[in-house]
């Protein structure tokens, strides 16, 4: 039991891969390195896939790409409304990043979303997006007025939500991935042969995709809530 | 340490609430889809949102348990 | 496990921003540009198809009016030609009738002249015969002028009676 706890603790810690010798040493964690790998893969895939786009005769890859982007656009449009255009690329980026981060466990790398710093950063960005959009499209006074809706009595709850929403987003993603990771580690500890492969389909693939959808969906919904009613 | 383990177990009991909540929500959503299959898209998105929020409770309990075991 | 490193969070935020900028420019920008170009193309094609449809309709009405014009003109030409032919025919007919009439009158005058000539000949013959007969009757030649005049008088009396 103690040995298991030790390995678990070691797995859970944020390992520092190397330190940039600058300003007294900036530690670069494993999650950041894996993020860089994911980014590089995404960028190369993007450059390869969007090399020859044609308006008149799209290939199979281009059709798939276009339908994916159209699906994203439609999703953002229905949830945010008139000002959907600047949000779609960010939400698509976050979706791709989280999905790949959750799924990269299959390739034997540590998922970056298991590091609470990554999910905290994602949640912070979402918070900035949600409340930035609220003030950007309603003006300063209108944005403040949004906190007193639907009735002024709910003002403290709305203000609490400013903190609770990103915290919940951060913890939900982190907790799910971490929980899946811990269960997988336990399974590997108990039965290292067949069971992990089967359960990894659920915990790595299904749960990863579901959590991606939930994160992006909630961010979109909250953003839309902040700016939608003005129409 | 044993007290901590028990505390962690109690914290993990939040999962019961989340399970009941998600089960209830899914059942109602199935009923709604059976009644109005054409509104399944909207029902699905509402269900997903509710499940995510209900699941949040379980996740908070789980995080608390982890904190108690590994940090506290 | 649950320790927050500021550097880590900052790295992730920078990563996200860089990835966002990259994907917005190269993935979503390009694909959205293609989608918009396709939408514009479809719209343009629809409008041009409508335009050509409209032009075709216009051309058809033009052709139809032209066709009816041509029909009318043809009918007019036909009527003209028929008129002219009728007139020419009538003119020819009239001329032919006139010719025929002239010929007939000529023939009639000729016949009359011949009859007159024949009559005169016959009268001369009869006169000479009468002279001969009278000479035979008188058993003497009436060669002098008094006898001749008497015979002429007689013959005119006979001619008036006949």
């Amino acid at each position: 039991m103690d040995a298991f706890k030790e390995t678990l603790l070691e797995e859970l810690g944020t390992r520092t891969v190397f330190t940039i010798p600058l300003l007294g040493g900036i530690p670069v964690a494993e999650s950041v390195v894996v993020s860089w790998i994911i980014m590089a893969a995404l960028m190369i895939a993007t450059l390869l896939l969007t090399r020859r786009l044609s308006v008149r005769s799209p290939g199979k890859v281009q059709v798939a790409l276009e339908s994916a982007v159209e699906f994203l656009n439609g999703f953002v449009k229905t949830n945010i409304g008139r000002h959907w255009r600047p949000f779609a690329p960010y939400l698509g980026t976050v979706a791709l990043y989280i999905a790949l981060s959750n799924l990269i466990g299959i390739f034997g790398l540590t998922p970056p979303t298991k590091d609470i710093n990554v999910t905290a950063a994602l949640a912070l960005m979402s918070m900035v997006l949600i409340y930035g959009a609220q003030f950007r499209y309603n003006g300063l006074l209108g944005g403040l007025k949004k906190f007193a809706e639907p009735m002024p009595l709910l003002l403290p709850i709305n203000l609490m939500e400013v903190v609770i929403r990103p915290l919940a987003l951060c913890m939900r993603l982190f907790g799910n991935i971490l929980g899946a990771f811990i269960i997988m580690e336990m399974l590997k500890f108990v039965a290292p042969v067949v069971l992990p492969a089967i359960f990894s389909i659920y915990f790595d693939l299904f749960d990863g995709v579901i959590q991606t959808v939930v994160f992006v969906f909630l961010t979109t919904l909250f953003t839309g809530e902040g700016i939608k009613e003005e129409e | 340490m044993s007290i901590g383990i028990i505390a962690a177990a109690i914290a993990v009991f939040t999962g019961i609430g989340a399970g009941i909540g998600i089960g209830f929500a899914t059942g109602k959503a199935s009923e709604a889809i059976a009644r109005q299959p054409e509104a399944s898209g909207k029902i699905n998105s509402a269900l997903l949102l509710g499940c995510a929020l209900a699941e949040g409770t379980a996740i908070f309990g789980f995080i608390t348990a982890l904190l108690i075991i590994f940090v506290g | 496990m649950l320790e927050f490193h500021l550097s880590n969070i900052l790295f992730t935020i920078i990563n996200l921003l860089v990835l966002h900028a990259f994907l917005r420019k190269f993935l979503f920008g390009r694909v959205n540009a293609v989608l918009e170009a396709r939408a514009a193309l479809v719209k343009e094609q629809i409008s041009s198809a409508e335009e050509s449809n409209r032009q075709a309709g216009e051309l058809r009405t033009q052709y139809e009016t032209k066709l009816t014009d041509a029909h009318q003109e043809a009918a007019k030409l036909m009527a003209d030609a028929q008129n002219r032919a009728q007139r020419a025919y009538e003119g020819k007919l009239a001329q032919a009738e006139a010719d025929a009439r002239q010929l007939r009158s000529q023939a009639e005058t000729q016949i009359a002249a011949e009859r007159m000539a024949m009559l005169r000949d016959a009268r001369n013959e009869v006169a000479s015969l009468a002279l001969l007969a009278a000479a035979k009757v008188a058993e003497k030649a009436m060669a002098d002028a008094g006898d001749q005049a008497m015979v002429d008088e007689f013959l005119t009396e006979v001619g008036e009676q006949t």
Side-chain angles (χ1 to χ4, degrees):
Chain A
M1 187 64 205
D2 273 347
F4 174 67
K5 195 181 158 188
E6 281 306 311
T7 53
L8 207 57
L9 263 181
E10 198 202 328
E11 287 287 340
L12 291 177
T14 52
R15 259 173 294 170
T16 303
V17 178
F18 62 92
T19 308
I20 298 173
L22 210 74
L23 301 170
I26 303 169
V28 177
E30 192 185 8
S31 58
V32 176
V33 176
V34 177
S35 293
W36 286 342
I37 294 171
I38 290 168
M39 281 164 67
L42 267 177
M43 285 174 179
I44 291 168
T46 297
L47 286 182
L48 280 181
L49 290 181
T50 62
R51 216 171 13 160
R52 275 194 299 270
L53 295 182
S54 83
V55 177
R56 280 172 185 278
S57 56
K60 267 181 195 162
V61 178
Q62 194 190 336
V63 167
L65 210 63
E66 275 174 17
S67 48
V69 173
E70 258 182 357
F71 171 76
L72 173 78
N73 285 348
F75 168 74
V76 177
K77 210 184 288 181
T78 48
N79 281 307
I80 288 187
R82 200 152 50 90
H83 301 294
W84 64 277
R85 212 165 262 282
F87 297 104
Y90 176 73
L91 292 166
T93 306
V94 168
L96 281 176
Y97 176 70
I98 296 177
L100 275 183
S101 298
N102 292 348
L103 298 181
I104 208 163
I106 296 171
F107 301 108
L109 292 167
T110 319
T113 32
K114 192 176 68 66
D115 185 350
I116 196 168
N117 297 298
V118 172
T119 60
L122 281 166
L124 272 177
M125 296 283 284
S126 286
M127 186 178 81
V128 170
L129 186 77
I130 292 165
Y131 293 101
Q134 183 172 329
F135 282 106
R136 162 75 178 76
Y137 289 105
N138 291 313
L140 187 61
L141 271 177
L144 286 175
K145 228 179 268 172
K146 278 276 170 193
F147 286 119
E149 278 177 7
M151 54 171 94
L153 195 69
L154 293 177
L155 181 66
I157 292 179
N158 281 335
L159 284 179
M160 270 162 65
E161 270 194 340
V162 175
V163 180
I164 288 175
R165 276 175 178 175
L167 187 71
L169 279 178
C170 162
M171 286 302 172
R172 182 175 300 115
L173 187 55
F174 169 69
N176 266 291
I177 304 302
L178 185 70
F181 187 79
I182 288 175
I183 291 173
M184 288 302 298
E185 285 297 316
M186 283 175 172
L187 274 175
K188 278 179 199 163
F189 193 75
V190 174
V193 190
V194 186
L195 274 179
I198 298 165
F199 277 85
S200 120
I201 292 172
Y202 176 80
F203 283 116
D204 283 340
L205 277 176
F206 184 70
D207 202 38
V209 173
I210 285 279
Q211 287 314 310
T212 308
V213 171
V214 165
F215 189 94
V216 175
F217 183 69
L218 285 180
T219 305
T220 315
L221 207 71
F222 292 152
T223 311
E225 208 172 85
I227 62 176
K228 212 175 184 180
E229 282 89 4
E230 59 166 323
E231 289 162 29
Chain B
M1 191 59 216
S2 57
I3 288 286
I5 294 286
I6 289 168
I10 292 171
V12 159
F13 264 107
T14 49
I16 293 176
I20 291 173
I22 292 174
F24 209 68
T26 310
K28 286 284 180 191
S30 304
E31 256 176 45
I33 291 175
R35 206 168 288 163
Q36 276 185 308
E38 67 273 6
S40 61
K42 282 185 174 179
I43 293 168
N44 271 336
S45 61
L47 174 67
L48 194 66
L49 177 65
C51 284
L53 292 177
E55 195 197 37
T57 354
I59 296 293
F60 287 145
F62 171 69
I63 299 275
T64 313
L66 281 181
L67 281 176
I68 290 168
I69 293 178
F70 292 113
V71 182
Chain C
M1 177 184 75
L2 280 178
E3 62 246 333
F4 290 96
H5 298 290
L6 191 63
S7 67
N8 217 334
I9 292 177
L10 282 180
F11 266 127
T12 305
I13 288 177
I14 291 166
N15 281 352
L16 271 175
L17 289 178
V18 168
L19 193 63
H20 172 223
F22 186 88
L23 289 187
R24 188 178 59 183
K25 184 150 168 44
F26 289 105
L27 179 63
F28 298 105
R30 281 178 178 177
V31 175
N32 277 327
V34 167
L35 287 176
E36 271 160 24
R38 170 136 350 113
L41 187 76
V42 167
K43 203 181 276 179
E44 185 200 304
Q45 272 176 351
I46 285 175
S47 67
S48 78
E50 274 172 358
E51 175 74 11
S52 58
N53 241 347
R54 205 175 52 74
Q55 275 179 356
E58 266 177 19
L59 277 180
R60 214 186 58 190
T61 49
Q62 263 180 19
Y63 285 146
E64 272 170 2
T65 51
K66 268 189 190 164
L67 209 63
T68 48
D69 278 5
H71 272 310
Q72 280 173 359
E73 202 158 329
K76 213 174 76 182
L77 278 178
M78 281 272 281
D80 256 15
Q82 267 179 354
N83 256 341
R84 221 176 306 144
Q86 184 75 24
R87 235 175 293 142
Y89 167 73
E90 277 169 2
K92 284 231 173 97
L93 204 66
Q95 205 183 348
E97 267 177 11
D99 277 1
R101 217 175 291 140
Q102 200 189 348
L103 274 177
R104 213 173 66 189
S105 67
Q106 265 180 8
E108 271 173 2
T109 50
Q110 209 177 338
I111 287 167
E114 274 174 9
R115 211 177 98 202
M116 289 296 283
M118 258 166 64
L119 266 179
R120 206 167 45 234
D121 282 358
R123 204 183 291 162
N124 283 348
E125 193 93 352
V126 167
S128 57
L129 274 178
L131 263 182
L132 206 61
K136 284 269 188 210
V137 168
E139 288 282 326
K140 65 173 190 142
M142 286 188 211
D144 52 6
D147 294 339
Q148 188 75 38
M150 198 183 69
V151 173
D152 277 345
E153 197 185 345
F154 166 71
L155 274 178
T156 29
E157 272 176 22
V158 173
E160 278 169 1
Q161 274 169 6
T162 56

